[in-house]
């Protein structure tokens, strides 16, 4: 059935651009990106053709976890500026027709949040049940849950002789969503941001907010300390849907806004219910593709298998009528280093363009991550001292031998989150034009040649390719709302899919390899809409060549 773009809500028709503010643009020379810096770059975003910004947390925070440890939901972190700066940024985006979606972390707060400060004062505090406090068992944690960042998900609080739950760091206590008073406090805060004109939220680990009330032991594989990632106890629990439906009614209903959920642990069975009827989430990030090169866990790096990629893509394009499409974010390494080819500049540029089409021309809303449009690469961190991310720093603490430490170090170089958090590469000036001060994290040395200024002037740059790709995606109904069909072609070397919208048809052929691949006869007559090699040969695709055909 032909769909017209006019029928779709704005968040299905635009491309989102994720900004990690600490690394985007510094305006005051303190080496830290800030809101005024983003304001300086709005025309760059407009020229790229994006229609919405996902802004990572800018709320007051002690910055234990890059701002995902909020100390005050209604104050701007001093590093990033003031609420007046935020208001100026919101106005600057809106006047350019760009929407603003804020990151929101309501699974946990910082342990410095006033609610937790009050909660830990006494067992009779009115805020005690804003968090999950439990007695220990025989002097040990209340259960065997592991944390994402530390061995156990529990920390003991001596003054009140109880343990509190933190699925992430000790400084990120989990909120107790069973408590209606907590939920009302969250809804009130959300509504005040929406009243300011914010266009929606990206809901951090939203699938974890409902825990099994029994907080029972997990039954998975214990880590070396005997703790278990007990996602069957705290992910996608039944109460989650009630909380999301209540949030929809109390916050989003009747407003022209959207919410996209980070679907940690969501799979093809549990995801549909979250986005089925517009009464819970509008969009969902699922991580099957982001987990594709992890064996036992993300640090057990295994080769990227295209056949698995194709199976995952086919599954999710079938599972959800409307997906989110993303190659990376602030938690993931740079896609061209991870899935593309960086053995030389020609192939780095060509493979970055291929990956862009392979992902963003599928059916769904695309989310670009800052620097993806430049083909930015992973960072060759010189030593552990250059790392900033708590996830990597806590991981290194688990090494017991030099060999183990070296193996973890190599895994961090490939998969560590700091790869995505090196400063945005604007030009060839010192620190890539990101700051006139000392950057909070090292700038990638390849910023001397890989940067927005050079790419803006180069018609064959990754940046100008993204500009064309975004135009195709947002102006052609076949790419915006057409159906998706994976072609049985290419084996472990090539990926191809067709999009159809009534009589409109288009297809994308990707040679995801370093060897040539025959172009199927059946499609050789089609005209080229977009490609990444200067003179495509009729009968074969060059290594890392993509062809967008109609
Ligand atoms: O990430 C959720 C999460 O599961 C991360 O641990 C992610 O899977 C992992 O880092 C992949 O390497 C969200 C935020 O995106 C992340 O930045 C925060 O650290 C985390 O929640 C806690 O708020």
């Amino acid at each position: 059935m032909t769909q017209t773009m006019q029928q779709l809500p704005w968040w299905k028709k635009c491309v989102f651009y994720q900004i990690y503010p600490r690394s985007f643009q510094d305006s005051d020379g303190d080496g830290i990106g800030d809101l005024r810096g983003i304001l300086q770059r709005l025309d760059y975003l407009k020229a790229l053709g994006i229609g919405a910004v996902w802004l990572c947390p800018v709320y007051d925070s002690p910055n234990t976890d890059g701002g995902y440890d909020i100390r005050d939901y209604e104050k701007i972190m001093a590093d990033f500026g003031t609420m007046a700066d935020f208001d100026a940024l919101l106005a600057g985006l809106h006047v350019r027709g760009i929407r603003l979606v804020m990151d929101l972390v309501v699974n946990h707060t910082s342990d410095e949040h006033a609610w937790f400060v009050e909660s830990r004062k006494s067992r009779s505090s009115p805020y005690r049940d804003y968090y999950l406090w439990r007695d220990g068992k025989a002097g040990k944690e209340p259960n065997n849950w592991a944390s994402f960042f530390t061995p156990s998900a529990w920390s003991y609080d001596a003054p009140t002789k109880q343990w509190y739950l933190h699925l992430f760091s000790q400084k990120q206590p989990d909120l107790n969503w069973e408590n209606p008073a907590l939920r009302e406090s969250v809804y009130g805060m959300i509504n005040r941001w929406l009243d300011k004109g914010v266009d929606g939220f990206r809901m951090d680990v939203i699938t974890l907010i409902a825990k099994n009330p029994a907080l029972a032991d997990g039954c998975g594989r214990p880590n070396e300390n005997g703790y278990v990632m007990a996602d069957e106890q705290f992910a996608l629990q039944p109460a989650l849907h009630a909380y999301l439906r209540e949030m929809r009614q109390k916050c989003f209903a009747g407003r022209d806004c959207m919410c996209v959920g980070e679907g940690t642990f969501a799979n093809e069975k549990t995801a549909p219910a979250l986005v089925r009827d517009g009464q819970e989430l509008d969009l969902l990030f699922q991580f099957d593709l982001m987990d594709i090169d992890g064996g036992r866990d993300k640090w057990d790096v295994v080769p990227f298998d295209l056949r698995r990629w194709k199976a995952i893509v086919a599954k999710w394009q079938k599972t959800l009528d409307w997906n989110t499409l993303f190659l990376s974010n602030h938690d993931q390494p740079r896609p061209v280093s991870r899935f593309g080819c960086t053995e030389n500049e020609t192939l780095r540029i060509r493979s970055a363009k291929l990956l862009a089409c392979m992902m963003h021309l599928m059916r769904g809303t695309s989310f670009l991550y800052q620097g993806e449009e430049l083909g930015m690469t992973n960072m060759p961190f010189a030593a552990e001292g250059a790392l900033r991310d708590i996830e990597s720093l806590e991981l290194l603490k688990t090494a017991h031998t030099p060999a183990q430490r070296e193996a973890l170090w190599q895994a961090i170089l490939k998969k560590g989150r700091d790869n995505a958090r090196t400063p945005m590469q604007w030009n060839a000036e010192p620190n890539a034009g990101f700051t006139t001060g000392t950057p909070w994290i090292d700038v990638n040395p390849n910023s001397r040649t890989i940067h927005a200024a050079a790419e803006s002037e180069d018609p064959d740059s990754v940046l100008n390719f993204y500009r064309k790709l975004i135009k195709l995606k947002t102006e052609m109904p076949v790419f915006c709302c057409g159906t998706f069909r994976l072609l049985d072609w290419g084996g472990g070397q090539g990926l191809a899919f067709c999009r159809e919208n009534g009589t409109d048809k288009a297809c994308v052929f990707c040679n995801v390899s370093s060897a040539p691949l025959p172009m199927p006869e059946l499609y050789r007559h089609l005209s080229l809409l977009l490609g990444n090699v200067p003179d495509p040969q009729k009968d074969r695709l060059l290594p890392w060549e993509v062809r967008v055909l109609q």
Side-chain angles (χ1 to χ4, degrees), residues 147-203:
S147 146
F148 284 86
F149 292 161
T150 55
S152 167
W154 293 93
S155 288
Y156 186 68
D157 195 62
T160 59
K161 296 187 179 52
Q162 280 196 314
W163 301 73
Y164 67 86
L165 177 71
H166 53 86
L167 293 180
F168 292 92
S169 78
Q170 185 174 354
K171 284 183 69 62
Q172 293 169 282
D174 277 56
L175 288 165
N176 173 20
W177 273 77
E178 273 192 278
N179 180 351
L182 176 273
R183 300 203 303 269
E184 286 303 326
S185 296
V186 170
Y187 301 149
M189 173 269 295
I190 289 176
N191 279 323
R192 286 189 289 277
W193 278 107
L194 291 171
D195 291 345
K196 281 177 71 73
V198 160
D199 300 289
F201 294 96
R202 175 267 186 184
M203 311 293 275

Side-chain angles (χ1 to χ4, degrees), residues 65 68 105 108 148-149 168 172 202 204-205 262 264 298 330-332 391 417 421:
D65 178 21
Y68 286 88
V105 188
H108 50 271
F148 284 86
F149 292 161
F168 292 92
Q172 293 169 282
R202 175 267 186 184
D204 187 67
V205 292
E262 183 183 30
T264 309
K298 77 178 261 190
H330 63 292
D331 290 335
Q332 303 293 335
E391 183 184 54
R417 303 192 303 183
R421 301 176 182 184

Side-chain angles (χ1 to χ4, degrees), residues 91-228:
L93 285 163
H94 282 173
V95 79
R96 291 169 174 81
I98 300 174
R99 304 254 190 169
L100 177 61
V101 165
M102 303 269 283
D103 212 318
L104 192 63
V105 188
V106 289
N107 175 69
H108 50 271
T109 67
S110 164
D111 66 346
E112 297 179 28
H113 192 291
W115 296 342
F116 190 73
V117 170
E118 287 306 315
S119 176
R120 76 185 320 170
K121 274 182 182 168
S122 83
R123 294 192 184 203
S124 58
S125 161
Y127 288 91
R128 190 70 172 180
D129 286 341
Y130 267 45
Y131 296 88
L132 289 152
W133 293 93
R134 292 293 186 279
D135 292 331
K137 281 183 184 163
K140 284 179 60 61
E141 296 88 354
N143 64 29
N144 67 353
W145 296 6
S147 146
F148 284 86
F149 292 161
T150 55
S152 167
W154 293 93
S155 288
Y156 186 68
D157 195 62
T160 59
K161 296 187 179 52
Q162 280 196 314
W163 301 73
Y164 67 86
L165 177 71
H166 53 86
L167 293 180
F168 292 92
S169 78
Q170 185 174 354
K171 284 183 69 62
Q172 293 169 282
D174 277 56
L175 288 165
N176 173 20
W177 273 77
E178 273 192 278
N179 180 351
L182 176 273
R183 300 203 303 269
E184 286 303 326
S185 296
V186 170
Y187 301 149
M189 173 269 295
I190 289 176
N191 279 323
R192 286 189 289 277
W193 278 107
L194 291 171
D195 291 345
K196 281 177 71 73
V198 160
D199 300 289
F201 294 96
R202 175 267 186 184
M203 311 293 275
D204 187 67
V205 292
I206 196 68
T207 46
L208 310 186
I209 62 173
K211 279 72 173 176
N212 170 3
L215 300 185
D217 273 354
C219 54
R221 174 170 54 87
N223 64 23
E224 59 173 16
N225 300 292
Y227 301 109
V228 164

Side-chain angles (χ1 to χ4, degrees), residues 288-301:
D288 280 3
L289 286 180
M290 293 295 112
D291 294 338
I292 197 168
D293 54 356
R296 291 185 309 280
D297 56 30
K298 77 178 261 190
W299 307 109
D300 174 22
V301 185

